[in-house]
Amino acid sequence: MDTIRLPLFADFDELPETPPFEPGIRRAPDRGYTLNEADTILALKNALRYIPEKHHERLAPEFLEELRTRGRIYGYRFRPKGRIFGRPIDEYRGECVEGKAFQVMIDNNLDFDVALYPYELVTYGETGQVCQNWMQYRLIKRYLEILTRDQTLVIESGHPLGLFRSRPEAPRVILTNALMIGMFDTQEDWHRAMQLGVANYGQMTAGGWMYIGPQGIVHGTYNTILNAGRMKFDRTGDDNILAGRLFVSSGLGGMSGAQPKAAEIAGIVGVVAEVDASRIETRRVQGWVKKVSGDLAEVFAMARESMDKKEPMSIAYHGNIVDLLEYAERENIRIDLLSDQTSCHAPYDGGYCPAGITFAERTQLLHEDPKRFRTLVDATLRRHFDVIRKLVAKGTYFFDYGNSFMKAVYDAGAKEIAKNGRDTLDGFIFPSYVEDIMGPMLFDYGYGPFRWVCLSGRPEDLRKTDRAAMDAIDPDRRFQDRDNWVWIRDAERNALVVGTQARILYQDAEGRIRIALAFNDMVRRGEIGPVMLGRDHHDVSGTDSPYRETANIRDGSNIMADMATQCFAGNAARGMSLVALHNGGGVGIGKSINGGFGLVLDGSDRVDGIIRSAMSWDVMGGVARRAWARNEHAIDVSGEFNEKHLDQHITLPHIADEAMLRNLVAASKR
């Protein structure tokens, strides 16, 4: 026991000096301090659990100040000095490759170039944290340094519960975030739990340590825009279906700021509104947005010029999306595709900015008068909804991008956004991107956001894996494969890497297995260093979310969390290196359960076996559930699976005659 205690808690034996905050780095707004006296004492006791008693008298006032002014105890004093970033794996200490690999991933999530609010451990999505505080970060890192292949590290809402004996075939890390008990699974109870330091909102890949910068959401947005174009405009078979058309969205930071880059790659003109000038500047410096203006006439003039030339272009509007849309509607400017990528899963925590106030005023109001802020948010959401309806009537195709926008509008009092005008059980009057596009055209086939990180940090390793992935894809098999073959072909030229050397592409089960086996063989032969495989939790099987991932599940089971939980458990049983299960995802607490994984490719035959069993399960479990929901493409894919794999079998539905049932029920009422 002593051999473990000393290295683990050495960081807390003597207090480090509080490191300075570097100028120009975004800081999270005050999250709101709402605890009573008893809960305040409890929050302090909880934070001080990490610290030897001799320091409590000194640290307690420090933690109290953080709680009252920031709405959270972050433990700023314990943040390591300088820049945190995902260094090459060989620069980390560890007893096994997995322990070192996870350190790379954690630090990449907190890179100044990657994280939304790095000092508050928020990677993206306004509130999506790696863990709750810097004491947890230090302790997790220490555990990972001593983790062996005969142990599993258990993490509960950012807290490292401890190392437990297991075996090499078991996961090295099992983590969960904010799994609230049903009756307490509300925004209010979660907010209290966060202040107390017992809940962590992991978003998706932030809390699952698999975020790879905005590239992930770029690819999802690219796929969405491209397939929206196919669905709405492709009447001739022209590959360049989006040329000369206009895509409008909002949010350039909270949900990664992917839209302008995705628009250019897809071949459309993209205009994205953002209220925070610093987020616009980040994307401009990165080359992810070409033009910037705060003048609406200039914005649309620039857009028109590129549209007339049929050239793709990305334009950031520094201002509120509602002002932009109302201007477009007044001036009869045609918007072809319209969406939103603000952090509407957390509208009252700063994820959505009211019209009529500046970003600085938003931040001040959050701190000084959260009730008035909420009132202004609700009013703006209703205006946002009203102008979207007017634009849709003029021919715009609007889709919710799964950021909980439509649910936020409903919660703001606009009940008419619900199909039945009463509740959300029948969905909304506008489709979500999963309901209309991603579900039937990708998820039902098993295609989702497969990703990998070259842990060596060498760009040449990424180039080699890009080529290997291209070789594993048959671009003539389906349009989905062609899209992703082109994506990989152009990936380096499109300069998609932010942070670690990582890549994403949408693949089905067969494609993922082929690529993963090829990578592991390359590691085995010494062509590349070790690789971390994973996916966005936003995928075929990993997430149950009625307003997003399971929006096209129409058998009533979209409110169930069985699939995500089974996916998590099955991946653990099959030996994935890391398994994660979270509450909330990209839509907010109480609105989804989502699971992710990480698999370290070390070149071993053991990992080949995990790839063959776990990778297939991770995808096909979701396809099977979609088939049972009577989704046509999922039934086809599941039938093919049954024919190819005689040692496995997916249950397929018998399809009832709906007209017969409708007549039966109608007749029974006479």
Side-chain angles (χ1 to χ4, degrees), residues 229-427:
R230 285 196 180 103
M231 186 172 65
K232 294 296 179 181
F233 311 127
D234 189 11
R235 301 290 181 265
T236 63
D238 185 1
D239 286 339
N240 200 19
I241 54 176
L242 294 174
R245 298 191 179 272
L246 179 62
F247 167 61
V248 172
S249 184
S250 53
L252 274 176
M255 297 301 293
S256 284
Q259 311 95 303
K261 187 77 169 181
E264 287 200 38
I265 297 173
I268 199 169
V269 175
V271 174
V272 185
E274 171 57 61
V275 292
D276 182 357
S278 75
R279 302 184 196 193
I280 294 175
E281 182 61 12
T282 296
R283 302 306 170 207
R284 189 195 65 78
V285 170
Q286 289 173 342
W288 288 49
V289 65
K290 293 289 189 340
K291 297 180 179 180
V292 179
S293 175
D295 182 276
L296 286 168
E298 184 180 32
V299 165
F300 284 109
M302 291 189 294
R304 173 49 59 191
E305 182 182 1
S306 295
M307 290 164 68
D308 290 343
K309 294 178 181 177
K310 295 189 180 302
E311 295 175 351
M313 180 53 64
S314 57
I315 304 164
Y317 166 60
H318 182 210
N320 197 286
I321 181 62
V322 174
D323 294 329
L324 183 149
L325 295 180
E326 290 176 345
Y327 178 91
E329 196 276 326
R330 282 196 310 272
E331 299 296 321
N332 286 312
I333 296 169
R334 171 67 179 252
I335 297 172
D336 297 290
L337 303 177
L338 174 62
S339 191
D340 184 88
Q341 280 190 28
T342 57
S343 298
C344 269
H345 63 279
Y348 309 119
D349 288 327
Y352 185 88
C353 184
I357 64 173
T358 66
F359 184 72
E361 289 168 339
R362 157 265 197 192
T363 303
Q364 185 178 355
L365 201 57
L366 266 172
H367 174 68
E368 295 178 355
D369 195 348
K371 288 185 178 179
R372 182 165 176 261
F373 180 80
R374 185 180 185 118
T375 300
L376 293 176
V377 166
D378 286 346
T380 302
L381 282 165
R382 292 192 295 269
R383 279 176 59 187
H384 201 158
F385 172 52
D386 285 341
V387 71
I388 288 171
R389 282 196 294 185
K390 292 175 182 176
L391 290 166
V392 168
K394 293 181 177 182
T396 295
Y397 173 56
F398 171 80
F399 54 92
D400 185 311
Y401 197 79
N403 62 335
S404 215
F405 171 76
M406 289 192 291
K407 182 61 163 62
V409 169
Y410 176 86
D411 291 341
K415 305 301 182 188
E416 60 269 34
I417 199 170
K419 279 184 181 178
N420 60 26
R422 301 184 308 275
D423 54 49
T424 63
L425 292 176
D426 297 326

Side-chain angles (χ1 to χ4, degrees), residues 164-182:
F164 296 88
R165 184 181 297 127
S166 59
R167 51 191 173 83
E169 294 77 19
R172 298 281 69 77
V173 172
I174 297 176
L175 64 85
T176 53
N177 281 303
L179 298 181
M180 316 286 291
I181 299 296

Side-chain angles (χ1 to χ4, degrees), residues 516-558:
L517 289 171
F519 289 179
N520 199 43
D521 188 56
M522 292 165 73
V523 176
R524 185 161 41 240
R525 290 186 280 109
E527 292 183 31
I528 58 174
V531 173
M532 172 74 87
L533 285 189
R535 56 163 170 76
D536 195 333
H537 305 4
H538 163 256
D539 197 8
V540 180
S541 310
T543 299
D544 288 296
S545 180
Y547 306 121
R548 189 157 80 169
E549 286 81 359
T550 46
N552 71 320
I553 301 289
R554 297 185 175 90
D555 67 347
S557 70
N558 60 337

Side-chain angles (χ1 to χ4, degrees), residues 606-658:
R606 176 184 66 87
V607 167
D608 279 349
I610 295 171
I611 291 168
R612 290 190 176 97
S613 64
M615 201 70 68
S616 176
W617 158 252
D618 187 69
V619 177
M620 294 308 300
V623 176
R625 188 270 186 95
R626 294 168 181 278
W628 191 241
R630 294 181 291 271
N631 291 15
E632 182 181 356
H633 299 313
I635 292 173
D636 293 341
V637 172
S638 296
E640 293 171 5
F641 180 87
N642 287 345
E643 290 176 6
K644 289 181 181 178
H645 302 87
L646 300 180
D647 60 336
Q648 304 178 73
H649 194 82
I650 291 170
T651 308
L652 296 177
H654 297 286
I655 309 298
D657 185 329
E658 188 168 345

Side-chain angles (χ1 to χ4, degrees), residues 26-242:
R26 277 187 302 274
R27 300 291 307 283
D30 175 12
R31 299 302 190 189
Y33 167 67
T34 61
L35 300 179
N36 60 30
E37 184 175 321
D39 276 352
T40 299
I41 293 169
L42 184 57
L44 293 170
K45 287 168 63 178
N46 289 347
L48 290 168
R49 287 184 286 193
Y50 296 99
I51 314 297
E53 288 84 349
K54 64 182 180 179
H55 300 306
H56 286 190
E57 192 169 345
R58 181 175 177 186
L59 283 180
E62 204 169 289
F63 286 172
L64 179 59
E65 177 69 11
E66 290 181 11
L67 182 61
R68 284 178 168 165
T69 60
R70 313 296 303 184
R72 303 280 191 277
I73 296 173
Y74 295 113
Y76 291 121
R77 176 185 290 274
F78 296 98
R79 183 190 185 275
K81 292 180 181 178
R83 181 190 167 206
I84 296 172
F85 63 100
R87 293 177 280 126
I89 188 171
D90 292 340
E91 294 184 18
Y92 289 90
R93 291 181 292 182
E95 298 297 320
C96 64
V97 64
E98 293 92 344
K100 294 193 286 185
F102 300 146
Q103 293 180 66
V104 177
M105 303 304 295
I106 290 170
D107 285 354
N108 182 65
N109 275 210
L110 296 171
D111 189 330
F112 285 158
D113 292 336
V114 173
L116 178 62
Y117 303 127
Y119 286 117
E120 288 76 37
L121 300 111
V122 174
T123 301
Y124 74 111
E126 193 61 34
T127 51
Q129 291 181 282
V130 171
C131 53
Q132 297 179 62
N133 57 59
W134 291 105
M135 296 84 78
Q136 291 179 346
Y137 168 87
R138 286 190 178 236
L139 195 50
I140 290 168
K141 292 291 290 286
R142 291 288 180 261
Y143 272 126
L144 292 174
E145 288 176 352
I146 64 173
L147 176 72
T148 73
R149 294 181 67 190
D150 295 308
Q151 296 170 320
T152 294
L153 174 61
V154 177
I155 296 180
E156 297 179 354
S157 276
H159 169 65
L161 195 69
L163 286 178
F164 296 88
R165 184 181 297 127
S166 59
R167 51 191 173 83
E169 294 77 19
R172 298 281 69 77
V173 172
I174 297 176
L175 64 85
T176 53
N177 281 303
L179 298 181
M180 316 286 291
I181 299 296
M183 69 179 290
F184 300 102
D185 198 7
T186 66
Q187 185 72 23
E188 292 72 25
D189 283 305
W190 168 78
H191 189 222
R192 173 178 176 267
M194 278 292 293
Q195 292 176 83
L196 291 175
V198 297
N200 184 60
Y201 188 74
Q203 185 74 15
M204 287 189 167
T205 48
W209 308 345
M210 266 308 300
Y211 191 67
I212 60 169
Q215 179 183 170
I217 303 181
V218 171
H219 193 31
T221 308
Y222 157 80
N223 267 313
T224 303
I225 296 171
L226 202 61
N227 285 301
R230 285 196 180 103
M231 186 172 65
K232 294 296 179 181
F233 311 127
D234 189 11
R235 301 290 181 265
T236 63
D238 185 1
D239 286 339
N240 200 19
I241 54 176
L242 294 174

Side-chain angles (χ1 to χ4, degrees), residues 402-662:
N403 62 335
S404 215
F405 171 76
M406 289 192 291
K407 182 61 163 62
V409 169
Y410 176 86
D411 291 341
K415 305 301 182 188
E416 60 269 34
I417 199 170
K419 279 184 181 178
N420 60 26
R422 301 184 308 275
D423 54 49
T424 63
L425 292 176
D426 297 326
F428 300 102
I429 62 173
F430 303 126
S432 81
Y433 76 128
V434 172
E435 190 175 9
D436 238 21
I437 304 165
M438 300 291 277
M441 300 177 82
L442 290 162
F443 291 170
D444 287 356
Y445 285 96
Y447 288 86
F450 181 62
R451 58 179 62 179
W452 66 91
V453 175
C454 295
L455 296 165
S456 68
R458 296 191 296 262
E460 56 266 33
D461 279 14
L462 186 59
R463 291 189 195 102
K464 291 175 182 177
T465 56
D466 280 349
R467 288 194 293 270
M470 283 183 68
D471 290 342
I473 298 171
D474 177 4
D476 299 320
R477 179 184 175 221
R478 294 188 182 122
F479 74 84
Q480 296 96 331
D481 292 301
R482 176 69 185 175
D483 290 347
N484 281 281
W485 188 87
V486 170
W487 169 268
I488 289 292
R489 181 196 68 191
D490 298 338
E492 187 171 3
R493 177 170 60 84
N494 286 326
L496 295 165
V497 171
V498 179
T500 54
Q501 297 295 312
R503 187 70 73 223
I504 185 171
L505 79 159
Y506 275 53
Q507 279 293 283
D508 64 353
E510 289 185 10
R512 298 186 206 196
I513 291 169
R514 282 196 303 272
I515 292 169
L517 289 171
F519 289 179
N520 199 43
D521 188 56
M522 292 165 73
V523 176
R524 185 161 41 240
R525 290 186 280 109
E527 292 183 31
I528 58 174
V531 173
M532 172 74 87
L533 285 189
R535 56 163 170 76
D536 195 333
H537 305 4
H538 163 256
D539 197 8
V540 180
S541 310
T543 299
D544 288 296
S545 180
Y547 306 121
R548 189 157 80 169
E549 286 81 359
T550 46
N552 71 320
I553 301 289
R554 297 185 175 90
D555 67 347
S557 70
N558 60 337
I559 64 171
M560 307 301 292
D562 293 331
M563 179 179 71
T565 309
Q566 290 281 4
C567 186
F568 165 82
N571 282 339
R574 290 167 176 82
M576 291 292 200
S577 306
L578 176 148
V579 289
L581 193 68
H582 318 284
N583 181 4
V587 291
I589 287 294
K591 299 184 180 76
S592 75
I593 297 293
N594 52 74
F597 77 85
L599 177 62
V600 179
L601 306 187
D602 60 5
S604 66
D605 293 340
R606 176 184 66 87
V607 167
D608 279 349
I610 295 171
I611 291 168
R612 290 190 176 97
S613 64
M615 201 70 68
S616 176
W617 158 252
D618 187 69
V619 177
M620 294 308 300
V623 176
R625 188 270 186 95
R626 294 168 181 278
W628 191 241
R630 294 181 291 271
N631 291 15
E632 182 181 356
H633 299 313
I635 292 173
D636 293 341
V637 172
S638 296
E640 293 171 5
F641 180 87
N642 287 345
E643 290 176 6
K644 289 181 181 178
H645 302 87
L646 300 180
D647 60 336
Q648 304 178 73
H649 194 82
I650 291 170
T651 308
L652 296 177
H654 297 286
I655 309 298
D657 185 329
E658 188 168 345
M660 178 270 291
L661 296 175
R662 196 179 295 114

